[in-house]
Amino acid sequence: MADTLYLVLRKVALFLGEAALEELGTELVEVASVRTDFEYRMKRTESELVILQAFIGQVNTHNVGDKTFEAWLGQVTNVAHQVEDIIDEYSFLTSQAAVINNFFKRKFHQAKSFAAWQSLSNQIDEVQTRIQRISTMKNRYAISIGEPGKSSTLQNARQLSLSDSAYLSDDAELVGNASEIERLKQWLLSEQQDRSIMSILGMGGLGKTTIASRFYKNQQISRVFDCYAWVTLSKNYQVEGLMRQIMKQLIDQRSHMASGIEAMNHVGLIEEVQSYLRDKKYLIVLDDVWDTNDWLFFNSALVRNNRGSRVLLTTRKKDVASVANDGFVVELKILPYTEAWHLFCQKAFRRLDDKICPVNLRPWAEKIVKKCQGLPLALVAIGSLLSCRELEEQEWSSLHNQLSWQLANSPELSWIMSILNLSLNDLPGYLKNCFLYCSLFPEDYKIRRRWICRLWVTEGLVEERGAGTTMEEVAECYLNELTRRSLLEVAERNVHGRAREFQMHDLVRDACLTVANREKFAVVYGASGINQVTSEARRLFVQKDARSLKVAAASQIRSFILFDTQVPSSWIHEISSNFRLIRVLCLRFANIHQVPGVVSDLLNLHYLDLAHTKVNHIPASFGKLRNLQVLDLRFSYVEQLPWEITLLTKLRHLYVYMLHDVGERIFDCFSAAKLLGNICCLKNLQTLQCVSANKDMITQLGNLTLMRSLAIMKMRQNYIVELWGSLAKMPSLGRLVIFANSKDEVLNLVMLKSLPNLKFFWLRGRLYDGVLPQMFASFEKLATLKLDFCFLKKDPISSFAHMLNLVDLKLYKTYDGEQLKFRAGWFPKLSSLELGGMEHLNLIEIEECTMKVLHTLEMVGLMDLNAVPRGIKHIKTLQKMLLTDMPKEFIDRLQGADSHIVQHIPNIQSFESSNSEAGNLHVYSVSIHCANWSSSVLFFTNYKRYEISS
C-alpha cells in the first residue's frame, strides 16, 4: 500500500518540479491567486503524505494480516487517489488552456473554467481534512510500529514453519531436477579441501529447501563431516539468534550451558563459532537467504580451514547466489509436464495402490496440473488436499473452477500464496508497482521488453537516475532486477543474448492480481473471476468478454489496454468517450478503421497505441495531445502524419510503418510515412521509425540529439551528406536503418565517417562502384549488420572480419560474385548468419576455426549453390540450419552425398515458398531433419519477426 503513496508522491513531485503552474501564461490574472494558493496547499499535502509513507513502510512488516491495519490502509489509498485526481484535473485544465491559440476564445475559456480552478482548491481542503481524520483513526485504533522483533514474531514463526515443512518432507516426494541433484551430491562428496560454497537458486516453491534437506539428512553425506548445522533466515532475523542456533546444533546441551553462549553478544558468538569450527570439517546449510549482507557475517564466522568444509545456501535472488564459488550455482527450473503429472498423482492418489488417475477425473486433473505450471509446491499442496476428498468429478471440477479464489482464501491452500508473496513483499516500492503491472497481462502471455518499458515510463512508474541514463534504460534495469529475484523468467532472448520476452508464473500472477485488486492498483476484466469494474479502478486491462463491460465512474480510469480483438468498432468508440483523464490508451489489434473522435480531447494522454489496426488517417487535432510521449502506429495504414504532430514536444517514441513482405525479399518490404512540418521541436525524440526522406527533414534531424533509433526510407544520394551531418550530432544513436529510394538509386558513402556508437545497422540499396565504403572498417561496436541489394563486385566478408562484436550478419543480394570466403579467426562472436539472393554464388569456403560460436545458419535462394559448403563440418556449435528456396541439387546432396557434413546439426529445415520472387512467404513445403529422422509437412507460417530492430 505504501507503493500507491510512492506512485502518487512521484506524481506530486513531478507536478511541482516541472513548474506546471507556469504553463498557463501571464494572461490568466483572474486565477493567479488561486494558482498560488493551490501550489502552497499541494506542498503541504505532499509533506503529510511523505510522513504517512514513512510510517506505513515501518508498520507494514509488523502488521501483516491485521484487518484493522488493512482497513486503515484502504482509507490512505483513497486519499492518495484523490490527490492523484486533483493533479490530473489540474494537468487537464492547463493543457486545455495551452492549446487555445485564439485570444478571444482563450479569454472565454478562462471565464468558463474559473469555477473548475476554484474547485481544485476546495478539493485540497477536503484532502487535508481527510488526512487529519486518518491520523486520528491511527491513534484511536492503536496502529503503531511496535517493538522490533516482537510484533513480527507470528509472521517469522509462520515463515519458519513453511520452510520447516519442506525440511521435514520425505525423500519420496523428490521428483525432477535429477542433474542438479547429482551435481550437488558430487560437490558435497568431492575431495576439494578449500571451504566451498554452493547456492541453490530459484523462485519460491521450486523445492530448494526440500533438495537441501535431502542431502542434509542423508547419512552417506553426513558421515563424511565432523559436524553440521541448519539455519533458516527469517526476513527480520537477529545475528545473535542465528549464531546461537548454529552453536546449539554443533555442541551438546551440557557444553552449551557451560559455555554461557546465551549471554554473549554477536561478536563473542562469532568468535565462539570460529573457535569451534577451526579444526573440523563442517557442513552448514543457510536456508532462504535474502540479502548479500546476510552472508557477510556468516562468511567471517565460517572459517576457511582447508578441511573440505561445505556451505550450502538456498535463495531466490541471483545476487545472493553469486557468493558461491564459480560454477557452483544450481538454478532450479519448473518441472516439465510429465514430471509434474507424476508428482501430482503421487500426492493426489496416494490412497490408490497404483497411484494412477481415474479416467473420469483425468480432464480436471490435467487442468489443475497445467495451472500449477510445474511448481512443486503447488502440485504437492493441491494434490495433498485432493487426496482427502472424494474421487468424484463434481468435487474436482468445483476445486478447479474456484482455484484462484481457494489459493487466496482457503486455509488449506493460502499458505502457497504466503510463500510466493514473500518475494513480492521484499520488493521496494518502485519495483513492486512495476511487478504488479506485469501481472495484468493475460495468462501465459509473453511480455515484450520494449513494450513493457514504454508502458512503465509513460505510467510514471520509473524514476530518473541521472542525466546520462534514459528512463527506458532504468526500466530495463528494473526488468533485470525482477529476473534476478526469480520473479520473472526470460522467455526468449534475441541473437545477442539480450532478453526479448518475459513470462510470469501463473500462480505468482494470481497472487499479484489479488494484491492489485485489493490495493486498487488495477482490474483485469474477463479473467480470474473478475467480471465487473468498480468506480475505484485506476487501470483496466480487458482480456475478453469486452462487450459485456460496464464502466462506472470511468473518469477514475487512467490506463486502458484492450486484448479482446473481437469487439466492434462502435463499442470502442463508445467506451473511449468515458476516459477523460486517461494516461495510457492501447487499442493494439482493435477492429477500428479510424481514430475514435474523442482521442484528440484526451489531453492527459501519454501513450497511444493504434498498432495493427486499420486506421489510415491521423487528424490534425492530434496536435492538442501535448503530453503524448509514445505514438505507436506500426502495421496500420497511415501513410502521412499532419504537421501538427511536430507540436508534440514531449514525444519520445514515434513508430509508423507497414510491412509488405514478411520475408524481406522485395526491395520496398517496409513502407514509410511522410512527416510534414518542421521536426526541430521534437527534441525529446529517441525513436523515429520509419519516415520518408526529404531534404528539409534530413537537415532538421540534427536537432534531435537524443535520438537512439532511426529508420529512414526513400533515401536519395543528394541527401546523404546532410544526413551524415545530422547523424553525427546524435551521440547516443545505436540503431540506424537506411533504405534507398529504389533499387536503381546509387548511394555514395565513400567519403563518410563511421558512427562509432552504432550497434545495429541495416542498409538497403546499391553502393557506388559496387565497393563497400571504408567507414565499415570503423564500426567497432556493431552487433547486427544487414546489407541488402548492394550488388557488390568484391567479396565483402573480409571487410566485416574485424568487427569483433558482430553477432548477427545478414546479406541479401549483397554480392554479385561467385565465391565467399570465411577465414580462420574471423567472426569470434557471430551467432547468426544469413546469406540470400546472391544469384551467382556457387562456392562458400569456410575454414576451420572461423565463426566458433555460430548457432544459426540460414541460406535463401542461392540458386547456383549446388553443394553443401564442406567447411560447415568445422562449426561444431551450429544448432540450426534453415534453407529456403534452395536448388533441388543442393537439397539432394544434403540428404545424400553431403549428409556427413551436416550430421552434427540437430535441426535442419528446408522451406519452399509459394512465391519466392515476391517474397510473400505464406505457404511452405518443409523437410525437417533432426538427428536421424526426417519428415515432410505443409503448413502456414510467418516465420520472421517483423521488426526493424529488436
Side-chain angles (χ1 to χ4, degrees):
M1 172 31 244
D3 312 303
T4 303
L5 273 180
Y6 174 88
L7 188 56
V8 173
L9 280 168
R10 265 191 48 75
K11 211 166 188 177
V12 173
L14 287 172
F15 164 75
L16 294 174
E18 291 177 351
L21 304 170
E22 299 304 318
E23 292 184 10
L24 289 174
T26 56
E27 295 178 25
L28 303 182
V29 292
E30 296 91 339
V31 295
S33 61
V34 174
R35 290 165 44 204
T36 303
D37 184 57
F38 180 83
E39 180 180 7
Y40 170 74
R41 291 166 187 249
M42 186 58 74
K43 285 181 178 177
R44 280 184 54 192
T45 302
E46 180 188 30
S47 300
E48 295 277 6
L49 293 178
V50 166
I51 295 172
L52 270 177
Q53 183 191 36
F55 175 78
I56 292 170
Q58 288 181 284
V59 174
N60 228 355
T61 58
H62 303 290
N63 294 66
V64 174
D66 187 323
K67 298 298 183 184
T68 303
F69 177 63
E70 290 178 0
W72 181 78
L73 282 182
Q75 295 299 311
V76 178
T77 302
N78 293 338
V79 171
H81 284 162
Q82 187 175 2
V83 172
E84 184 179 34
D85 291 342
I86 294 169
I87 293 173
D88 289 345
E89 182 66 29
Y90 191 99
S91 177
F92 185 88
L93 292 173
T94 55
S95 298
Q96 202 173 45
V99 298
I100 301 174
N101 297 320
N102 182 280
F103 175 80
F104 295 104
K105 286 183 178 180
R106 186 160 60 248
K107 298 302 290 183
F108 175 75
H109 172 76
Q110 292 166 13
K112 184 179 178 181
S113 62
F114 182 79
W117 291 105
Q118 187 65 51
S119 173
L120 291 181
S121 289
N122 295 337
Q123 290 178 50
I124 284 287
D125 287 339
E126 183 182 340
V127 164
Q128 291 175 349
T129 301
R130 291 183 70 180
I131 289 174
Q132 290 300 320
R133 285 205 301 267
I134 285 172
S135 297
T136 301
M137 281 193 289
K138 174 177 71 69
N139 297 328
R140 180 185 305 160
Y141 298 111
I143 299 171
S144 61
I145 296 174
E147 295 181 49
K150 295 274 188 176
S151 54
S152 58
T153 302
L154 183 60
Q155 180 194 357
N156 291 345
R158 176 64 168 159
Q159 182 185 339
L160 291 172
S161 68
L162 294 175
S163 182
D164 289 343
S165 68
Y167 168 66
L168 296 172
S169 61
D170 60 80
D171 294 348
E173 294 177 5
L174 217 53
V175 175
N177 297 298
S179 61
E180 287 77 10
I181 290 171
E182 183 60 28
R183 274 186 67 199
L184 277 165
K185 182 178 179 181
Q186 295 298 324
W187 169 74
L188 286 166
L189 296 177
S190 71
E191 296 181 359
Q192 178 183 342
Q193 292 303 301
D194 294 341
R195 185 200 69 175
S196 182
I197 308 161
M198 193 170 201
S199 300
I200 305 178
L201 170 67
M203 66 176 285
L206 279 179
K208 301 181 295 295
T209 303
T210 302
I211 291 173
S213 71
R214 169 174 180 168
F215 290 109
Y216 185 77
K217 296 184 293 180
N218 187 309
Q219 291 186 359
Q220 179 190 357
I221 291 171
S222 62
R223 67 170 172 246
V224 305
F225 294 98
D226 299 325
C227 58
Y228 38 86
W230 174 297
V231 60
T232 300
L233 281 68
S234 70
K235 292 300 297 298
N236 299 296
Y237 71 87
Q238 292 180 314
V239 175
E240 292 89 344
L242 294 179
M243 285 295 128
R244 289 190 184 98
Q245 283 187 47
I246 291 175
M247 287 302 298
K248 288 176 182 178
Q249 295 177 62
L250 294 176
I251 61 180
D252 60 42
Q253 186 67 21
R254 185 179 304 171
S255 301
H256 161 239
M257 297 299 292
S259 64
I261 64 172
E262 291 293 344
M264 291 182 183
N265 61 20
H266 75 276
V267 175
L269 286 164
I270 289 175
E271 290 176 347
E272 189 74 15
V273 172
Q274 289 175 334
S275 175
Y276 185 84
L277 296 178
R278 187 160 287 118
D279 59 351
K280 294 179 177 63
K281 180 178 181 179
Y282 60 83
L283 169 63
I284 305 293
V285 179
L286 304 176
D287 183 37
D288 211 14
V289 184
W290 286 87
D291 198 310
T292 51
N293 291 328
D294 298 342
W295 167 247
L296 294 179
F297 76 86
F298 279 112
N299 190 34
S300 61
L302 304 178
V303 295
R304 299 174 179 84
N305 55 12
N306 291 320
R307 290 182 173 270
S309 298
R310 300 288 183 263
V311 181
L312 180 61
L313 285 74
T314 73
T315 183
R316 307 181 186 204
K317 301 168 77 172
K318 287 186 178 179
D319 59 339
V320 175
S322 66
V323 305
N325 298 79
D326 291 342
F328 287 168
V329 176
V330 170
E331 185 169 2
L332 302 185
K333 300 295 184 182
I334 59 175
L335 299 179
Y337 183 81
T338 53
E339 291 180 352
W341 176 258
H342 175 71
L343 178 59
F344 177 78
C345 290
Q346 289 291 308
K347 303 304 296 182
F349 307 112
R350 58 186 173 135
R351 292 186 295 169
L352 303 181
D353 293 338
D354 55 8
K355 294 183 173 60
I356 294 177
C357 177
V359 175
N360 66 313
L361 297 180
R362 191 172 183 96
W364 297 107
E366 288 176 344
K367 289 179 182 179
I368 292 170
V369 171
K370 183 181 177 183
K371 178 68 176 178
C372 293
Q373 282 194 329
L375 192 68
L377 172 73
L379 292 163
V380 170
I382 297 172
S384 299
L385 176 65
L386 287 168
S387 70
C388 301
R389 299 195 178 184
E390 297 297 325
L391 299 179
E392 295 179 359
E393 187 174 354
Q394 183 178 357
E395 185 92 12
W396 283 56
S397 65
S398 176
L399 179 78
H400 170 266
N401 294 334
Q402 300 173 21
L403 191 54
S404 293
W405 184 92
Q406 293 276 358
L407 288 167
N409 300 282
S410 166
E412 294 120 323
L413 295 180
S414 61
W415 64 277
I416 299 176
M417 289 306 185
S418 297
I419 287 181
L420 298 178
N421 277 329
L422 288 174
S423 294
L424 180 60
N425 294 334
D426 184 56
L427 292 173
Y430 66 90
L431 269 185
K432 184 176 179 182
N433 287 320
C434 292
F435 187 56
L436 290 179
Y437 204 93
C438 292
S439 70
L440 307 179
F441 291 86
E443 191 173 280
D444 300 326
Y445 195 85
K446 293 183 178 179
I447 305 170
R448 298 299 300 273
R449 181 192 73 244
R450 290 185 185 278
W451 191 22
I452 192 66
C453 287
R454 303 286 184 265
L455 287 170
W456 283 350
V457 170
T458 51
E459 287 272 8
L461 303 179
V462 179
E463 59 187 4
E464 293 189 16
R465 289 187 176 178
T469 305
T470 67
M471 285 196 286
E472 288 78 5
E473 290 169 338
V474 175
E476 288 202 34
C477 291
Y478 289 4
L479 273 174
N480 292 333
E481 191 169 345
L482 289 172
T483 57
R484 286 196 298 268
R485 289 170 175 262
S486 303
L487 287 169
L488 290 180
E489 182 180 0
V490 176
E492 182 183 340
R493 295 185 183 275
N494 62 19
V495 71
H496 313 295
R498 188 180 183 189
R500 192 206 304 269
E501 294 179 342
F502 299 83
Q503 242 178 329
M504 179 183 284
H505 193 282
D506 279 354
L507 296 182
V508 176
R509 176 177 173 271
D510 284 348
C512 288
L513 285 176
T514 300
V515 175
N517 193 38
R518 183 180 69 236
E519 297 189 358
K520 302 162 190 174
F521 180 82
V523 168
V524 174
Y525 184 82
S528 302
I530 297 175
N531 290 304
Q532 61 180 3
V533 179
T534 66
S535 61
E536 299 171 329
R538 310 302 286 189
R539 296 170 184 82
L540 179 58
F541 282 50
V542 181
Q543 296 183 5
K544 61 182 180 180
D545 302 327
R547 277 189 253 198
S548 62
L549 173 63
K550 304 295 181 184
V551 179
S555 62
Q556 296 290 324
I557 292 176
R558 298 298 187 270
S559 302
F560 180 81
I561 296 184
L562 181 67
F563 290 97
D564 186 349
T565 61
Q566 303 303 313
V567 292
S569 57
S570 58
W571 181 90
I572 294 172
H573 285 259
E574 179 183 353
I575 198 166
S576 299
S577 63
N578 296 321
F579 301 147
R580 181 170 173 271
L581 299 180
I582 199 165
R583 188 181 180 102
V584 170
L585 179 61
C586 179
L587 301 176
R588 183 176 292 194
F589 289 103
N591 182 28
I592 54 175
H593 291 74
Q594 62 183 19
V595 180
V598 71
V599 168
S600 297
D601 295 320
L602 304 178
L603 303 184
N604 285 1
L605 206 58
H606 284 56
Y607 179 100
L608 178 60
D609 192 338
L610 300 171
H612 298 276
T613 65
K614 298 175 183 177
V615 169
N616 60 14
H617 173 70
I618 298 299
S621 55
F622 263 41
K624 295 192 292 182
L625 303 178
R626 303 293 174 86
N627 290 305
L628 199 64
Q629 295 181 13
V630 177
L631 177 57
D632 195 341
L633 302 169
R634 282 176 290 186
F635 312 114
S636 67
Y637 293 87
V638 175
E639 296 180 350
Q640 180 171 296
L641 294 173
W643 71 265
E644 286 83 359
I645 291 294
T646 63
L647 299 175
L648 309 183
T649 57
K650 294 182 180 180
L651 205 60
R652 301 166 72 91
H653 307 282
L654 175 58
Y655 303 94
V656 50
Y657 56 81
M658 169 57 77
L659 178 74
H660 300 294
D661 167 27
V662 300
E664 300 171 0
R665 294 167 68 178
I666 61 173
F667 188 82
D668 292 318
C669 58
F670 285 98
S671 65
K674 294 179 181 178
L675 178 55
L676 306 180
N678 190 325
I679 63 173
C680 288
C681 294
L682 301 179
K683 295 184 184 298
N684 287 302
L685 208 58
Q686 298 176 28
T687 305
L688 180 57
Q689 298 176 357
C690 304
V691 290
S692 293
N694 65 67
K695 194 171 184 64
D696 289 339
M697 187 203 70
I698 293 298
T699 304
Q700 294 160 11
L701 277 174
N703 293 279
L704 313 185
T705 57
L706 298 181
M707 190 69 70
R708 280 164 161 74
S709 181
L710 177 64
I712 301 178
M713 308 288 151
K714 301 295 181 183
M715 176 59 61
R716 296 182 181 274
Q717 167 56 31
N718 56 339
Y719 303 159
I720 284 291
V721 175
E722 287 83 357
L723 173 64
W724 237 253
S726 294
L727 297 180
K729 299 174 184 177
M730 303 174 182
S732 300
L733 186 67
R735 296 179 180 84
L736 177 62
V737 178
I738 299 175
F739 279 26
N741 184 53
S742 69
K743 280 194 285 189
D744 298 322
E745 184 84 27
V746 178
L747 302 179
N748 186 350
L749 310 179
V750 173
M751 302 301 293
L752 302 179
K753 294 182 179 180
S754 175
L755 302 170
N757 293 316
L758 213 57
K759 296 179 180 177
F760 179 105
F761 187 27
W762 186 0
L763 177 63
R764 176 168 284 213
R766 192 180 295 270
L767 292 178
Y768 179 73
D769 269 355
V771 177
L772 203 65
Q774 185 62 32
M775 70 172 180
F776 277 84
S778 304
F779 285 129
E780 296 178 358
K781 296 183 180 179
L782 206 62
T784 294
L785 176 62
K786 300 174 72 171
L787 292 179
D788 303 337
F789 294 90
C790 300
F791 301 108
L792 301 175
K793 298 175 182 176
K794 179 183 175 183
D795 179 355
I797 301 301
S798 61
S799 301
F800 311 139
H802 68 282
M803 298 180 183
L804 301 181
N805 292 304
L806 197 64
V807 174
D808 187 15
L809 177 61
K810 291 180 169 60
L811 305 176
Y812 186 77
K813 291 185 180 292
T814 307
Y815 172 52
D816 256 351
E818 297 181 355
Q819 297 182 12
L820 289 177
K821 297 180 181 180
F822 294 83
R823 299 300 189 194
W826 289 2
F827 305 107
K829 294 185 179 180
L830 195 68
S831 174
S832 176
L833 173 65
E834 180 179 335
L835 304 172
M838 290 175 264
E839 298 176 359
H840 306 297
L841 185 66
N842 57 40
L843 178 65
I844 300 175
E845 184 179 334
I846 301 174
E847 293 185 357
E848 195 169 356
C849 297
T850 187
M851 301 184 284
K852 286 187 173 182
V853 296
L854 192 68
H855 179 277
T856 302
L857 173 62
E858 185 169 357
M859 292 187 278
V860 181
L862 303 177
M863 302 311 296
D864 273 5
L865 188 67
N866 295 319
V868 179
R870 303 188 67 81
I872 288 177
K873 65 184 179 183
H874 300 310
I875 310 175
K876 301 302 182 184
T877 58
L878 203 55
Q879 297 296 306
K880 187 184 296 184
M881 188 173 178
L882 305 176
L883 308 169
T884 304
D885 294 327
M886 293 296 287
K888 182 179 184 300
E889 185 176 350
F890 181 97
I891 299 299
D892 290 343
R893 293 195 59 160
L894 176 79
Q895 296 175 331
D898 292 346
S899 61
H900 67 282
I901 298 174
V902 297
Q903 63 182 357
H904 63 291
I905 305 174
N907 187 355
I908 301 175
Q909 300 181 27
S910 175
F911 302 81
E912 291 181 9
S913 66
S914 58
N915 187 348
S916 61
E917 181 62 31
N920 296 314
L921 306 180
H922 295 302
V923 184
Y924 296 92
S925 173
V926 183
S927 296
I928 303 174
H929 308 261
C930 293
N932 295 318
W933 65 272
S934 65
S935 64
S936 295
V937 294
L938 184 70
F939 67 99
F940 295 82
T941 183
N942 292 330
Y943 79 105
K944 286 187 180 287
R945 186 174 294 282
Y946 318 134
E947 287 195 359
I948 287 181
S949 62
S950 60

